[in-house]
């Protein structure tokens, strides 16, 4: 098993069906592996029995093609990045060299602790972790349902599964004001249905800074949270943003770059839409 894992993690041309089969073999098992993140070169210790940690081990980043795109885009930025729904920090930790300051917002205490441990062990000074849930109101206490599938699917809107924790809310505008209204260059939002609440609580920052926004759109999560993906999409369009989609250049090389194309609005109206949209102010 160790030899297979090692070979699969270093050969970027192994077909995805084999990688997914191996992930199912690892699922639920405690298999600890050290890894150097692909772009920042930070050292992390991973339990690859978890789906997201498995892919970080394989590729040096979860959603590695997207992370590569943003690393290349912002490597000379030196602005501010707010990572809403940081999870295990695949974006925050890999984009450390790109920004003067990163705010990693993560509701799960275990995920936030993972990021803090990596920061401490690698002596990273430009990332600050908020262990809170982003919404449209400060200081509410809500229940976060912890996913049985992977640490990346925790949600404020899923039905309880027996695993849950209490979490305090904070708005995006509050974090922005607490940190001297810094010029936010990039905003990532991936919070399993709370995206609408996030933008409602971040109107002032978004209107002032006009950051690039990389936002997850999930029809099932939106339905659970009680809002329309069309409303979320139009929130940005009505404020002068244009929408784009990112597609890996090739399916055969993990970690390849992405091409950016205008997003087809008609896709939003489908009942099962799931994907990320990049909004750029123009």
């Amino acid at each position: 098993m160790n030899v297979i894992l090692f070979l699969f993690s270093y050969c970027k041309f192994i077909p995805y069906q084999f990688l997914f089969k191996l992930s199912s073999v690892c699922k639920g098992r405690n298999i600890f592996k050290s890894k150097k993140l692909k772009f920042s070169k930070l050292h992390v210790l991973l339990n690859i029995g978890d789906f997201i940690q498995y892919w970080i081990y394989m590729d040096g980043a979860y959603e590695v093609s997207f992370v590569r795109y943003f690393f290349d885009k912002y490597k000379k930025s030196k602005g501010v990045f707010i990572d809403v729904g940081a999870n295990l920090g695949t974006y925050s930790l890999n984009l450390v060299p790109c920004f003067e300051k990163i705010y990693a917002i993560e509701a799960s205490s275990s995920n936030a602790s993972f990021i803090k441990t990596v920061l401490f062990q690698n002596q990273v000074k430009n990332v600050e972790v908020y262990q809170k849930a982003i919404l449209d109101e400060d200081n509410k206490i809500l229940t976060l349902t912890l996913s049985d599938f992977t640490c990346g699917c925790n949600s404020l809107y899923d039905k309880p599964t027996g695993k849950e924790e209490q979490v305090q809310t904070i708005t995006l505008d509050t974090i922005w004001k607490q940190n001297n209204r810094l010029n936010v260059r990039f905003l990532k939002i991936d919070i399993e249905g709370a995206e609408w609440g996030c933008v409602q609580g971040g109107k002032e920052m978004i209107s002032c800074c006009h950051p690039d926004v990389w936002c997850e759109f999930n029809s099932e999560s939106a339905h659970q949270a009680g809002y329309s993906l069309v409303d979320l999409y139009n929130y940005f369009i009505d404020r002068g943003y244009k929408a784009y989609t990112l597609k890996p250049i090739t399916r055969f090389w993990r970690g390849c770059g992405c091409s950016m194309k205008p997003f087809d609005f008609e896709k939003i109206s489908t009942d099962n839409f799931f994907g990320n949209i990049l909004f750029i102010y123009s």
Side-chain angles (χ1 to χ4, degrees), residues 37-94:
L37 295 180
K38 186 172 184 65
F39 303 103
S40 64
K41 308 305 180 186
L42 301 182
H43 292 273
V44 297
L45 179 64
L46 302 164
N47 183 356
I48 62 174
D50 174 77
F51 182 79
I52 288 179
Q53 295 185 62
Y54 170 86
W55 285 104
I56 294 175
Y57 176 75
M58 286 297 167
D59 293 339
Y62 183 67
E63 299 182 342
V64 63
S65 292
F66 296 150
V67 177
R68 174 183 288 278
Y69 176 86
F70 292 116
F71 182 85
D72 291 340
K73 179 178 176 66
Y74 300 117
K75 60 186 175 184
K76 296 182 180 180
S77 170
K78 300 304 179 186
V80 175
F81 167 35
I82 300 182
D83 186 0
V84 182
N87 191 243
L88 296 175
T90 187
Y91 284 80
S92 290
L93 296 176
N94 265 299

